[in-house]
Amino acid sequence: MITRRAYVEDINQLAPLFDAYRIFYKQDSDIKGAKAFLMSRFNLKDSVIFIAIVNQNIVGFTQLYPSFSSVKMQRTFILNDLYVSETHRKNGVGELLLNTAKKFCETEQARGLALETDINNPAQHLYERLGWKKDTDVLHYTWELNKEV
């Protein structure tokens, strides 16, 4: 198993995993939309995607979005997406992707990574085992335009 940065040439293998990730979060399947969304990320260079590969097949991915901490005056990344195909779970794929993201942040001299996950997501145990800290010092709020869409 290896990880590497994803390229636009990976989109046909990556899009079904991205679609499965969205379905996990109770969204309707939309492969065409997944491909278009991922293509925009590649074209605009506004995210970094790492993929895990087993036997030349993409079996997992994580997507990072850059952000900044004004208080710390440093770049940081939001680990927005992490997904491993059902057939490859509990084989270290998620851990490898998370560690790849950490190494990337070190290379970029970023402050760190932040993530948000569903309160019932079983991956919480993995995050905590790998040294991620649950934020209990601040509250997070969101505002969404046209949430029904």
Side-chain angles (χ1 to χ4, degrees):
M1 175 173 34
I2 64 163
T3 59
R4 67 167 170 79
R5 194 165 178 165
Y7 302 105
V8 72
E9 295 81 18
D10 297 313
I11 205 162
N12 287 329
Q13 270 198 66
L14 182 57
L17 276 179
F18 186 76
D19 192 56
Y21 165 77
R22 293 182 64 256
I23 292 168
F24 177 82
Y25 282 105
K26 300 174 180 52
Q27 302 301 304
D28 293 333
S29 178
D30 183 359
I31 293 286
K32 184 179 175 184
K35 284 183 180 179
F37 182 84
L38 291 168
M39 187 60 75
S40 288
R41 303 296 61 79
F42 288 121
N43 290 337
L44 295 172
K45 297 179 172 105
D46 58 8
S47 77
V48 177
I49 303 172
F50 291 101
I51 54 177
I53 302 171
V54 174
N55 298 325
Q56 300 179 351
N57 294 309
I58 300 173
V59 299
F61 74 93
T62 189
Q63 184 164 208
L64 313 178
Y65 290 98
S67 188
F68 296 89
S69 170
S70 299
V71 172
K72 298 290 185 178
M73 296 186 295
Q74 283 183 284
R75 188 175 192 188
T76 188
F77 285 88
I78 300 166
L79 192 149
N80 204 70
D81 312 315
L82 175 67
Y83 186 78
V84 175
S85 69
E86 289 186 38
T87 57
H88 287 84
R89 291 182 187 158
K90 301 203 185 293
N91 291 317
V93 177
E95 181 172 346
L96 184 60
L97 286 165
L98 288 166
N99 286 332
T100 298
K102 286 179 180 179
K103 287 178 187 169
F104 173 75
C105 284
E106 290 171 0
T107 301
E108 294 291 308
Q109 297 180 335
R111 180 170 183 250
L113 291 160
L115 69 80
E116 173 184 311
T117 192
D118 189 80
I119 197 163
N120 296 317
N121 188 337
Q124 291 177 60
H125 301 292
L126 174 62
Y127 304 143
E128 291 172 11
R129 185 170 58 78
L130 295 179
W132 291 70
K133 304 287 186 239
K134 191 181 293 187
D135 197 339
T136 58
D137 297 330
V138 296
L139 298 175
H140 292 269
Y141 294 91
T142 60
W143 178 86
E144 295 181 11
L145 178 65
N146 297 328
K147 187 174 173 145
E148 296 78 34
V149 176

